[in-house]
Amino acid sequence: MKYCVQKEGANMVESELFSTILRLTLALAAGGLVGLERSFHGRPAGFREHTLVCISACMLMLLADYHVLRAAAAGHSDAFLDPTRMAQGIMTGIGFLGAGAIVKEGFAIRGLTTAASIWMIAAIGIMIGMGYYVAAGAATFATFNINYVFRLIEGRMNLESYAHFHVRFARGEAPSERDLRVILADCGCEPSGISYGLVGEGRWFEYQSLIKTLGKENLNKLADRLSANPYVIEFGIAPRGD
């Protein structure tokens, strides 16, 4: 009887060890795959960050999962242990990490996709840690395709682009708002709410607006048009990032 108990305990330890190594390996593969795509595109959170997040989420869920099993094996069946609380804590903490990947560069906001990717890879790590391999595999495949394949699709689509626009002319040489709208229209750009006024202690006349266009090449066309205008003192076109 004693031999049977020892053998059963050894089998349980061996099974737990195999399951732990398998889950951590899958978490390494999932985080590495998604992270490589982010690193390839020069994002602030790439291969190492995604891999660490996925493995750490997996380890914490292994802790919660095996804690429940060990408590049941020890005869504490009346104890209430909820592994989902660990998942809630993980996702809350990852939210702060994702927020650090979001940066504002002028009028552009970048890092939203990377932040969402970090949040997603944490969820994948949680699923691997709990042993939901099919769901984790499907989520990894979907995340990789969303980050990589969808980027290629977006590159072929004629999407609306927005940019913050300002241009300065010498005082007394600025075109009228109607003439400026004609210049923008010729370049395929549509302004929204043009504002204007004197700047630089009254030396320059400045127009500001949020412009919309189909195709970012129109912004290059507008820049060339303004560069060739001898009355333009200064201009800026700042595309809005995502």
Side-chain angles (χ1 to χ4, degrees):
M1 183 70 176
K2 183 178 180 181
Y3 171 74
C4 293
V5 172
Q6 290 177 345
K7 185 176 181 181
E8 182 179 350
N11 290 337
M12 182 178 296
V13 171
E14 183 178 348
S15 175
E16 182 178 315
L17 178 62
F18 174 77
S19 179
T20 300
I21 294 175
L22 174 63
R23 297 183 190 188
L24 290 176
T25 302
L26 291 176
L28 171 66
L33 178 63
V34 176
L36 278 175
E37 186 277 331
R38 293 284 86 193
S39 289
F40 178 76
H41 289 100
R43 296 301 181 259
F47 175 65
R48 291 178 299 169
E49 293 79 7
H50 278 73
T51 304
L52 288 172
V53 167
C54 196
I55 291 178
S56 62
C58 178
M59 285 195 307
L60 290 173
M61 290 312 298
L62 281 171
L63 173 64
D65 189 25
Y66 288 137
H67 186 54
V68 173
L69 296 177
R70 287 174 181 250
H76 301 298
S77 58
D78 55 339
F80 178 74
L81 299 173
D82 185 9
T84 61
R85 292 187 177 181
M86 180 68 78
Q88 295 170 8
I90 293 171
M91 299 310 290
T92 300
I94 291 302
F96 289 97
L97 181 61
I102 302 174
V103 295
K104 187 174 185 294
E105 300 176 356
F107 293 105
I109 298 176
R110 305 186 183 278
L112 294 175
T113 304
T114 299
S117 180
I118 293 174
W119 201 81
M120 184 66 176
I121 206 66
I124 292 172
I126 289 173
M127 288 191 293
I128 294 175
M130 293 300 294
Y132 300 133
Y133 304 125
V134 176
T140 303
F141 180 77
T143 304
F144 179 80
N145 280 281
I146 289 170
N147 284 342
Y148 185 73
V149 179
F150 282 23
R151 175 188 296 273
L152 300 179
I153 296 174
E154 284 182 343
R156 295 178 179 274
M157 294 174 62
N158 200 19
L159 301 174
E160 285 187 348
S161 298
Y162 291 85
H164 294 273
F165 166 73
H166 79 270
V167 58
R168 292 177 179 176
F169 299 90
R171 185 173 181 177
E173 297 177 347
S176 65
E177 180 181 339
R178 178 179 297 178
D179 292 337
L180 179 63
R181 287 182 179 271
V182 170
I183 295 174
L184 293 173
D186 290 342
C187 297
C189 299
E190 179 183 345
S192 174
I194 294 180
S195 62
Y196 41 83
L198 294 175
V199 295
E201 299 180 351
R203 291 175 296 171
W204 306 315
F205 190 90
E206 181 180 72
Y207 286 104
Q208 290 188 7
S209 178
L210 177 68
I211 57 177
K212 177 180 69 174
T213 182
L214 285 174
K216 292 184 178 181
E217 65 277 1
N218 289 332
L219 299 180
N220 296 328
K221 186 187 300 184
L222 176 61
D224 293 339
R225 178 76 175 269
L226 294 175
S227 297
N229 191 325
Y231 298 113
V232 173
I233 302 299
E234 175 187 316
F235 73 89
I237 303 173
R240 292 202 311 192
D242 48 48

